[in-house]
Amino acid sequence: MTRAPRKRVVVLISGRGSNMAALIAATMDPAYPAAIVGVISNRADANGLKMAESHSIPTRVIPAKDHASREAHDEAIHDALKEMKAEIVCLAGYMRLLTPSFVKRWQGRMINIHPALLPSFKGLDTHARALDAGVRIHGCTVHFVTQNMDDGPIIAQAAIAVANDDTEDTLGARVLKAEHRLYPLALRLVAEGKVRMSGARTVFSGPAEEPAMSAMIVPGERNG
Ligand code: GRF
């Protein structure tokens, strides 16, 4: 049976790029249904750019300061995505809010990873806030991007137990490890067309057992 062509994915980053690296690693498997065809950063000093280049992935730096407005900046990103023939956009630590018209154009085809179990702890400093709140279970979420920040339909989540002696750093490190497993899994579901956005919900298709793949419990491990 001939395999469907791999979906063309462009990753948007602003910094370290470790989730981008996890996605690149997943695409090394020829059976993976997506290929990373480009990386766009709004910052020239984003470390992830070097890593993408070391894999011969085309990169573009599109700084906000080169554009008169948010709209113009997002328009430039949209043009770059079109040039790269992106079919799916993955936000991976992209630290700028996107304009409603940009989000609308990519709705259902743009996903984000957030370091908390949404809808809890939207926004920044999620690990410190989770510790402050005393939650016993924390984790990460991949969701479709919609107009409101960290608010779109959920595709996949990974849960991890909070240890009594966790600090922001130790907890954050375990969540990040889970992110690196979760994001490739979620992108696979989207690329294979096994999940799609329908209004405010994610619709899962395929055999009944498959949706379970999108819920990952990371067994308790000690820190480090
Ligand atoms: C990750 O924790 C991600 O969930 C959040 O920003 C961080 C980016 O890290 N959106 P990296 O650049 O992927 O290493």
Side-chain angles (χ1 to χ4, degrees):
M1 202 177 76
T2 50
R3 217 178 260 153
R6 303 173 107 195
K7 283 281 188 296
R8 298 176 63 84
V9 174
V10 172
V11 186
L12 264 60
I13 62 168
S14 296
R16 180 175 58 185
S18 71
N19 278 289
M20 175 210 73
L23 294 176
I24 293 173
T27 64
M28 299 292 174
D29 174 358
Y32 193 77
I36 311 296
V37 298
V39 171
I40 299 175
S41 172
N42 62 321
R43 296 183 56 118
D45 61 355
N47 269 322
L49 289 169
K50 293 188 210 101
M51 135 79 78
E53 280 155 14
S54 74
H55 283 89
S56 307
I57 295 172
T59 60
R60 288 278 305 272
V61 177
I62 307 182
K65 64 170 167 44
D66 292 356
H67 300 276
S69 63
R70 273 185 181 276
E71 283 71 22
H73 183 223
D74 282 0
E75 190 67 39
I77 293 174
H78 178 77
D79 290 347
L81 290 170
K82 285 291 180 209
E83 272 167 35
M84 292 170 164
K85 299 190 170 56
E87 295 174 288
I88 299 172
V89 178
C90 287
L91 304 184
Y94 185 69
M95 299 304 285
R96 271 181 74 82
L97 284 180
L98 294 162
T99 51
S101 61
F102 179 88
V103 170
K104 207 164 159 202
R105 277 155 140 179
W106 291 94
Q107 198 145 290
R109 299 181 291 153
M110 179 157 62
I111 63 179
N112 178 46
I113 185 150
H114 181 71
L117 288 174
L118 293 174
S120 293
F121 310 119
K122 296 175 180 179
L124 299 173
D125 300 325
T126 54
H127 310 311
R129 285 158 57 214
L131 287 173
D132 281 353
V135 297
R136 308 308 298 149
I137 308 280
H138 186 42
C140 50
T141 303
V142 178
H143 63 96
F144 286 108
V145 176
T146 53
Q147 314 263 328
N148 297 327
M149 190 184 65
D150 302 331
D151 195 50
I154 291 169
I155 299 167
Q157 291 188 304
I160 65 160
V162 179
N164 292 336
D165 57 356
D166 260 328
T167 63
E168 190 180 345
D169 287 348
T170 59
L171 183 57
R174 288 208 308 293
V175 172
L176 189 64
K177 254 175 137 178
E179 291 184 42
H180 297 162
R181 287 173 58 192
L182 190 72
Y183 212 173
L185 181 156
L187 175 59
R188 170 189 285 281
L189 292 174
V190 176
E192 287 177 338
K194 289 186 173 148
V195 304
R196 68 184 166 79
M197 186 175 151
S198 172
R201 305 283 303 179
T202 296
V203 177
F204 293 83
S205 55
E209 69 275 15
E210 261 170 10
M213 277 175 55
S214 64
M216 222 169 79
I217 314 279
V218 181
E221 336 162 354
R222 296 307 299 162
N223 301 330

